Amino acid sequence: MEKQALRKHLLALRQNLSREARAPLDAAILQRVIELPEVQAAQTILLYLDFRGEVESDGMIEHCLAHGKTPVAPVTLKEERQMIPVRITSLADLRMGAYGIREPLHLPELEVPVTAIDLVILPGVGFDRKGGRLGYGGGYYDRFLPKLRPEVPKIAVAYELQVVENVPMEPHDTLLDALVTEQGIWRRT
Ligand SMILES: Nc1ncnc2c1ncn2[C@@H]1O[C@H](COP(=O)(O)OP(=O)(O)OP(=O)(O)O)[C@@H](O)[C@H]1O
Ligand SMILES: [Mg+2]
């Protein structure tokens, strides 16, 4: 219940950001993400396709496509409660998937083995500066992240208003390695 109340509060805060207020924040976050050594070192990057006022991610995907990297996004299988990593070949080739989230076309030849992913950039509802993350409550990322190669960095992007002192964490919640906001980068030490 504590998680649920915090989710509601933080989603309302994020929803209140106007388009005009959001644009410079998205630009600042994009710039920081592009400069991350983890991004520069990675070939295959699992990103996300923003919805419900998440930090805009199209610029990150365009950066990957323009720099010969392989951007990948989750295709959500609702019945199985699983995310399947699928390659994004173009931002023009997306469709509307489960929960109203854009996703790449789920063609077998575009599926990417989880072990091929070098870096994960993920969104969320709330974060703290201890590696804590609060999602929408589906547990999709919490089930997915443990399948990655253990050394793969898990880096979240968020607006500063999504960062709180303490996100309630449960044993199934995976800790993040870094958090990028418009104001700076937090890293787990
Ligand atoms: N590793 C796991 N194995 C089994 N069930 C899990 C696992 N992780 C999460 N769940 C289930 O998902 C539910 C939601 O998890 P949680 O509240 O942490 O979601 P969330 O982190 O907000 O969402 P998401 O990860 O999708 O962004 C949990 O109550 C639990 O039942
Ligand atoms: Mg969780």
Side-chain angles (χ1 to χ4, degrees):
M1 197 54 215
E2 205 190 338
K3 272 189 173 183
Q4 195 45 40
L6 185 60
R7 235 175 233 127
K8 217 177 143 189
H9 169 71
L10 291 174
L11 283 172
L13 281 185
R14 199 176 67 187
Q15 224 92 34
N16 279 342
L17 270 181
S18 68
R19 187 183 280 273
E20 300 74 48
R22 204 176 274 282
L25 309 185
D26 287 334
I29 293 167
L30 172 61
Q31 194 53 41
R32 288 190 198 283
V33 165
I34 286 172
E35 288 170 2
L36 286 172
E38 289 90 342
V39 168
Q40 291 175 3
Q43 171 59 40
T44 302
I45 307 182
L46 179 73
L47 295 129
Y48 63 97
L49 291 153
D50 63 270
F51 90 130
R52 285 182 79 178
E54 289 168 346
V55 173
E56 206 226 2
S57 58
D58 287 26
M60 303 177 204
I61 292 160
E62 274 163 5
H63 173 85
C64 289
L65 291 169
H67 289 80
K69 298 182 187 291
T70 308
V72 175
V75 164
T76 302
L77 303 182
K78 221 169 167 175
E79 295 78 55
E80 290 92 335
R81 297 231 132 203
Q82 297 290 333
M83 302 193 308
I84 309 293
V86 177
R87 191 170 159 192
I88 304 173
T89 49
S90 156
L91 279 173
D93 287 343
L94 304 176
R95 51 157 233 143
M96 200 52 82
Y99 304 104
I101 307 174
R102 293 175 297 157
E103 59 185 35
L105 295 179
H106 190 184
L107 305 175
E109 64 270 28
L110 296 181
E111 252 188 54
V112 173
V114 182
T115 51
I117 297 171
D118 301 318
L119 169 66
V120 177
I121 306 276
L122 67 162
V125 175
F127 301 92
D128 62 30
R129 288 196 167 83
K130 304 171 193 174
R133 171 184 178 273
L134 180 71
Y136 292 95
Y140 282 93
Y141 275 105
D142 290 318
R143 278 187 298 272
F144 179 80
L145 296 174
K147 300 183 201 167
L148 295 162
R149 302 193 320 264
E151 74 276 14
V152 169
K154 296 171 275 290
I155 303 182
V157 292
Y159 301 118
E160 196 62 39
L161 60 75
Q162 296 175 257
V163 184
V164 297
E165 193 61 36
N166 185 42
V167 165
M169 291 292 273
E170 297 173 76
H172 64 255
D173 287 315
T174 299
L175 283 178
L176 303 172
D177 299 295
L179 173 64
V180 179
T181 75
E182 70 275 15
Q183 290 182 20
I185 300 171
W186 167 88
R187 282 177 184 283
R188 192 133 62 96
T189 47

